[in-house]
Amino acid sequence: MWTKSNIPDQTGKTVIITGTNAGIGFETALALYEAGAHVIMACRNLKSAEQALIKIQEHKGTGTLETALLDLSSLTSVNQFAETFVQKHQQLHLLINNAGVMIPPASKTTEGYELQFGVNFLGHFALTGYLYPLLKTTSGSRIVTLSSLAYLNGVIDFDNLKSEKDYDAMREYCQSKLANLLFSVELQRRIIAAGDHTLSIAAQPGANKTELSRHMSDEAFNKAVERIGELMEPWQGALPSLYAAVADEVAGGKLYGPDRDGGYRGYPAEATITPNALDETVAQKLWNMAEQVTGVYYPKSLYEK
Ligand SMILES: NC(=O)c1ccc[n+]([C@@H]2O[C@H](COP(=O)([O-])OP(=O)(O)OC[C@H]3O[C@@H](n4cnc5c(N)ncnc54)[C@H](OP(=O)(O)O)[C@@H]3O)[C@@H](O)[C@H]2O)c1
């Protein structure tokens, strides 16, 4: 059973985690702070990020913390965050693409994309692309991207990414979480093809009590709990991300999640990736589309497969 007591000393490591003011991101930041890392808490609301920072500092830890503004629903904000970061930092050991939104009322990003696709996938695609040159030159670096079991029901509908057709909140969430996993696996393929050494790893946290369900009615929430069973605490949901981030035995291109009850509960282990997330044709089409939409082109060595 792998828990946060297995995290090796992270002193000297620089880590960015998106969405650390709440839920799984908060617990991930706390654990890495306790282990000695310098954690950049990248959040869309600085006040709430500062409050989370204070809460983390109440714990014993040898790490350091800073907050930074990052709104993944705006590509301008992603660009500003990344530019400020690279001006201040010479190394980036770990990027954890954690932030997410689930089944909001129909809404769009600044650039007009469906919000979940935009925040969960496009924003993180752009962020990772901006930071890749720094990750590539940092020895032992890793990129952890959060997916969800929802990916199992996901399909990328290339004709509906701006909600041109109808809006089905859960369908769009599943699509965004499939996009996260397709991206994580495809990034690893491209890293290998380029001869780079960064690892791209996916994590899915299982079923947890967090604010992700904020847009669900009580009735829908209760029905979901009836179907999937007891929810874990956020600290336990953070374990797959932490495992992917620091364990020696993990490999790039893989998915890690809780080991029991179909991946809903338990402790981190490798999870099977189903064919919808291993489809290279879809992954490449998604990648090309994301580069065009975001204007963030990965280094040429990664681009030319
Ligand atoms: N909880 C689960 O059971 C579960 C299951 C499967 C997958 N996941 C995945 O786990 C990740 C973390 O979710 P969680 O459960 O911890 O949910 P959460 O408690 O709602 O936390 C989500 C975080 O994402 C941030 N965020 C939302 N929109 C953003 C934006 N536009 N820009 C920057 N940050 C933004 C939130 O900030 P605000 O507080 O400002 O909104 C918050 O910090 C997500 O990727 C989610 O899809 C969770």
Side-chain angles (χ1 to χ4, degrees):
M1 174 172 99
W2 194 94
T3 70
K4 68 179 190 174
S5 62
N6 293 88
I7 299 176
D9 182 18
Q10 297 294 304
T11 306
K13 300 272 176 77
T14 302
V15 177
I16 294 175
I17 310 171
T18 66
T20 52
N21 56 296
I24 291 163
F26 175 88
E27 294 293 338
T28 309
L30 169 60
L32 291 169
Y33 163 81
E34 286 173 331
H38 177 61
V39 182
I40 291 93
M41 303 172 68
C43 299
R44 66 173 166 166
N45 178 332
L46 271 186
K47 197 170 165 209
S48 152
E50 289 294 338
Q51 285 165 352
L53 180 147
I54 290 165
K55 256 167 88 184
I56 291 179
Q57 281 176 334
E58 286 165 6
H59 293 254
K60 259 197 203 142
T62 54
T64 45
L65 300 162
E66 63 178 285
T67 58
L69 185 63
L70 170 67
D71 182 350
L72 290 155
S73 71
S74 155
L75 292 173
T76 306
S77 172
V78 176
N79 177 284
Q80 280 167 356
F81 167 82
E83 285 206 344
T84 309
F85 181 83
V86 296
Q87 276 164 18
K88 272 174 74 178
H89 297 272
Q90 279 73 50
Q91 289 194 308
L92 177 57
H93 299 86
L94 185 55
L95 168 63
I96 304 188
N97 291 324
N98 165 83
V101 57
M102 184 177 80
I103 61 166
S107 33
K108 298 197 176 183
T109 65
T110 310
E111 289 77 26
Y113 284 83
E114 189 280 316
L115 191 74
Q116 299 173 88
F117 186 75
V119 168
N120 300 354
F121 169 61
L122 287 175
H124 283 125
F125 178 92
L127 179 66
T128 308
Y130 282 129
L131 296 173
Y132 189 76
L134 198 51
L135 286 154
K136 176 184 158 158
T137 54
T138 306
S139 171
S141 63
R142 297 187 187 189
I143 300 158
V144 177
T145 300
L146 277 271
S147 182
S148 158
L149 285 177
Y151 94 86
L152 294 167
N153 298 317
V155 174
I156 309 293
D157 183 354
F158 287 97
D159 299 326
N160 197 33
L161 299 178
K162 290 188 164 175
S163 292
E164 292 92 339
K165 302 178 197 165
D166 56 331
Y167 176 71
D168 175 333
M170 189 46 92
R171 184 189 66 202
E172 317 307 348
Y173 180 68
C174 295
Q175 170 177 258
S176 74
K177 290 286 133 182
L178 172 61
N180 283 142
L181 187 50
L182 281 160
F183 163 67
S184 181
V185 175
E186 175 65 13
L187 178 57
Q188 182 62 33
R189 286 191 197 106
R190 291 177 184 238
I191 288 171
I192 290 169
D196 293 347
H197 300 288
T198 300
L199 295 180
S200 170
I201 308 162
Q204 79 81 13
N208 303 277
K209 277 178 224 157
T210 69
E211 292 171 35
L212 195 68
S213 57
R214 66 185 92 175
H215 297 294
M216 274 176 133
S217 67
D218 289 347
E219 194 193 347
F221 180 79
N222 292 338
K223 265 195 183 156
V225 174
E226 242 172 60
R227 184 173 57 82
I228 62 185
E230 200 191 340
L231 303 180
M232 298 193 297
E233 296 298 329
W235 68 264
Q236 200 163 1
L239 291 179
S241 302
L242 291 164
Y243 184 67
V246 305
D248 284 339
E249 61 272 30
V250 304
K254 304 283 187 197
L255 170 68
Y256 297 89
D259 58 355
R260 285 196 294 111
D261 305 336
Y264 284 125
R265 285 167 287 278
Y267 287 87
E270 188 180 334
T272 303
I273 303 180
T274 54
N276 62 338
L278 294 171
D279 186 326
E280 290 194 42
T281 309
V282 174
Q284 284 171 30
K285 190 172 173 188
L286 183 69
W287 187 284
N288 294 338
M289 183 278 300
E291 283 193 328
Q292 280 166 21
V293 162
T294 60
V296 179
Y297 290 83
Y298 280 60
K300 227 170 178 322
S301 60
L302 279 186
Y303 191 56
E304 288 171 347
K305 279 194 76 184

